[in-house]
Amino acid sequence: MLKEKYNQYSFILDRTARRVKQFAQTAFAQNNFDLTVDQWTAMRIIHENSAMTNKELAELCGKDQPTFTRIIDLLIKKGLAERAVHPSDRRCLTLRITENGVTKINQIAPKVAEFRMQAWQNLSEEDFKDFVRILDTIYTNLTIKDE
Amino acid sequence: MLKEKYNQYSFILDRTARRVKQFAQTAFAQNNFDLTVDQWTAMRIIHENSAMTNKELAELCGKDQPTFTRIIDLLIKKGLAERAVHPSDRRCLTLRITENGVTKINQIAPKVAEFRMQAWQNLSEEDFKDFVRILDTIYTNLTIKDE
DNA sequence: TGACAATTATTAGTATAACAAATATAAGCA
DNA sequence: TGCTTATATTTGTTATACTAATAATTGTCA
């Protein structure tokens, strides 16, 4: 029964992450952003790492390639991103946020930050540090070693 | 740019929760548990709260009712759970884990605890306390107030 | 009592994301 | 050249989230 608590921790982690995501998703919908949270994350990461290949960006987003491809497809369909061939390796793709996409990012980024803040009330700077450190430890614990 | 960090926290939380879930799901598959993590959670919660109604159990699982209904449908199809009418309110349902389901829980619970442990290495008891407190604070911050 | 509102659960439809397998194209290398 | 590897997409399946609608039951109150 000693190990039972790990089950509980996993549950708490999952439950909290789900609520944070749902909260953001609801705010997105109410403000007619026409984006899912994952699409928004992808947009931000592509925008901030414009030189990277598709594969690297997928990894940064924490998505596997087919999932990432589909997210990009949706962004392209909305006219927010576009694919371009890699200058030196024609297997690779580079992704770019379109002009419309950049406009959208600039429009909604401050509002998103506003929504996000609500989750982090009643926590100290010390808590934030612990939060990041603990979650990063967990993440690293489950990373495949040989990479 | 000050608020940008909240975006980052949300991302870290989501990424970590996803990895923990994926790790467990992969272990479930490799050991032929024939369950998703969510189905496993539902089973445990139903088993530990046998007197509760469908609605209360859904809430405990952190699922809305249609989603919960579908998870239960899958458990029933696998012969692991069953529905029963509520003794005093015929609108309500009570859920029960079947004999097969209990056997399954007893079989795999120790193994699940084993998998789960790997995520929590390199963390102190103090960290666990902070982890639970911080996540619960976040969860509560996003709870609808009038309930 | 009888009409109406509220509650519980299901059903159905849609969208997104996760995962696996297969394919196409290109690069690296013996 | 021929073989292997890497990158990205495509396709198919499954699970979950969300919304709206429905059915059955209960509660309320005039």
Side-chain angles (χ1 to χ4, degrees), chain A residues 43-59:
Chain A
M43 272 187 85
R44 280 204 314 119
I45 289 182
I46 293 168
H47 190 49
E48 292 164 8
N49 301 276
S50 49
M52 285 194 176
T53 66
N54 199 315
K55 188 189 179 184
E56 292 166 326
L57 290 166
E59 195 150 332

Side-chain angles (χ1 to χ4, degrees), chain B residues 6-73:
Chain B
Y6 297 116
N7 240 323
Q8 196 58 23
Y9 295 156
S10 307
F11 175 68
I12 291 174
L13 176 60
D14 188 59
R15 181 181 72 169
T16 307
R18 201 140 26 92
R19 174 152 292 184
V20 168
K21 195 167 197 170
Q22 281 170 355
F23 181 82
Q25 195 58 68
T26 301
F28 277 31
Q30 284 172 347
N31 288 268
N32 298 109
F33 286 174
D34 188 29
L35 282 177
T36 66
V37 174
D38 287 323
Q39 287 162 17
W40 166 246
T41 303
M43 272 187 84
R44 280 203 314 119
I45 289 182
I46 294 168
H47 190 48
E48 293 164 8
N49 301 276
S50 50
M52 285 194 176
T53 66
N54 200 316
K55 187 188 180 184
E56 292 166 326
L57 289 166
E59 195 150 334
L60 265 187
C61 290
K63 304 288 184 187
D64 58 20
Q65 283 214 26
T67 298
F68 191 66
T69 294
R70 279 195 165 134
I71 290 175
I72 301 307
D73 284 344

Side-chain angles (χ1 to χ4, degrees), chain A:
Chain A
M1 274 305 151
L2 262 179
K3 296 171 183 168
E4 192 58 29
K5 64 176 183 177
Y6 297 116
N7 240 323
Q8 196 58 22
Y9 295 156
S10 307
F11 176 68
I12 290 174
L13 176 61
D14 188 60
R15 182 181 71 168
T16 307
R18 201 141 25 92
R19 176 154 290 185
V20 169
K21 194 167 198 171
Q22 280 171 354
F23 181 81
Q25 194 59 67
T26 301
F28 277 31
Q30 283 172 348
N31 288 268
N32 297 110
F33 286 174
D34 189 28
L35 283 177
T36 67
V37 174
D38 287 324
Q39 288 162 18
W40 165 247
T41 303
M43 272 187 85
R44 280 204 314 119
I45 289 182
I46 293 168
H47 190 49
E48 292 164 8
N49 301 276
S50 49
M52 285 194 176
T53 66
N54 199 315
K55 188 189 179 184
E56 292 166 326
L57 290 166
E59 195 150 332
L60 265 186
C61 291
K63 304 289 183 185
D64 58 21
Q65 283 213 27
T67 299
F68 191 67
T69 294
R70 276 189 168 139
I71 289 176
I72 302 306
D73 285 342
L74 291 171
L75 289 180
I76 290 175
K77 197 179 290 176
K78 293 175 185 176
L80 300 171
E82 54 191 13
R83 295 189 174 95
V85 287
H86 191 276
S88 65
D89 187 340
R90 291 202 296 170
R91 288 170 307 183
C92 299
L93 281 183
T94 308
L95 293 173
R96 247 200 317 265
I97 300 299
T98 63
E99 212 171 314
N100 275 345
V102 175
T103 304
K104 183 148 201 161
I105 288 178
N106 291 333
Q107 274 177 354
I108 74 181
K111 296 186 186 174
V112 174
E114 207 71 43
F115 306 145
R116 290 299 200 187
M117 277 185 66
Q118 183 163 341
W120 310 99
Q121 299 168 330
N122 308 314
L123 293 171
S124 68
E125 283 304 316
E126 193 64 25
D127 289 337
F128 292 146
K129 274 185 209 149
D130 287 335
F131 174 84
V132 172
R133 177 180 54 79
I134 293 171
L135 291 191
D136 280 348
T137 302
I138 295 170
Y139 190 79
T140 306
N141 283 342
L142 301 184
T143 301
I144 312 301
K145 297 298 185 278
D146 48 23
E147 66 173 3

Side-chain angles (χ1 to χ4, degrees), chain B residues 104-145:
Chain B
K104 183 148 202 160
I105 289 177
N106 290 334
Q107 274 176 354
I108 76 181
K111 294 185 187 174
V112 174
E114 206 70 43
F115 306 146
R116 290 299 200 188
M117 277 185 67
Q118 183 163 340
W120 311 97
Q121 297 168 332
N122 308 313
L123 293 172
S124 67
E125 283 304 316
E126 194 64 23
D127 290 336
F128 293 146
K129 273 185 211 149
D130 286 335
F131 174 85
V132 172
R133 176 180 54 81
I134 293 171
L135 292 191
D136 279 349
T137 301
I138 296 170
Y139 189 80
T140 306
N141 283 342
L142 300 184
T143 301
I144 314 299
K145 297 299 185 280

